[in-house]
Every structure is written in structure tokens, then in C-alpha cells.
Amino acid sequence: KKCEVSGVMAKADINPKSMYHAKKWSDDVENLYRFQQAGYRDEIEYKQVKQADMVECWPETGFVKKLQRRDNTFYYYDKQRECEDKEVHKVKVYVY
């Protein structure tokens, strides 16, 4: 299943205006954690780099299911939450 994580289409070179660290876990923070593990800021940068329209997500949870890294290897993620509480503060939230 394909899904639109943030609802933002990949426009050419959208750059964030600011950034802050997540304080508590949420679905959005979970997906950002997955993009950042794969080496991207967020869904917008992923779509720009990979020229992708959609990101594959779990239909049950809406979490990102699979991402392709810059070196073209794939990361696969579980349906359940993977970003533990102790990791939440490391997640960067970008503001556009």
C-alpha cells in the first residue's frame, strides 16, 4: 500500500525554515524517525532525492513500511512503533 505521509508533494528544492527536536512520541515523529534512520530529513527530502511520488506504508498503522537509502539498499520497518521513548529526543522535526 502506498500512502502520503505528510500530504506534501515533492516540489523542487523545498528547504526547511527551522528545526526542533521532538519532545514526545507521535505517529508523525515515528515516521520522521524512520526517514532519518534511512538518511533523509523527512518525506519531502526523500521524495526529492528518490523522485518518488509515494512512500510505502503499513495500511493498519500508516507508518512507513520501506525506504530506499541513498546507496540504494532498502530499510524495512515493522507495523509497530520502532522509535523508543529514549530515542524520541533525537528525532528532528523540520518546519517549512
Side-chain angles (χ1 to χ4, degrees), residues 4 6 11 19-20 22 30 38-40 43-44 46 50 52 58-59 61 71-72 74 90-92:
E4 196 71 25
S6 65
K11 305 275 187 292
M19 182 276 291
Y20 62 93
E30 178 66 37
Y40 302 93
E43 182 188 10
I44 296 168
Y46 180 79
K50 289 295 168 196
W58 289 105
T61 58
D71 63 5
N72 291 329
F74 284 92
K90 297 178 188 170
V91 176
K92 295 174 181 170

Side-chain angles (χ1 to χ4, degrees), residues 15-19 94-96:
N15 290 312
K17 293 182 181 66
S18 63
M19 182 276 291
Y94 292 90
V95 180
Y96 290 88

Side-chain angles (χ1 to χ4, degrees), residues 4-6 10 15 22 25 28 31 46 58 60 68 83 85:
E4 196 71 25
V5 177
S6 65
N15 290 312
W25 186 88
D28 289 338
N31 280 325
Y46 180 79
W58 289 105
E60 303 87 345
Q68 191 174 10
C83 180
D85 283 334

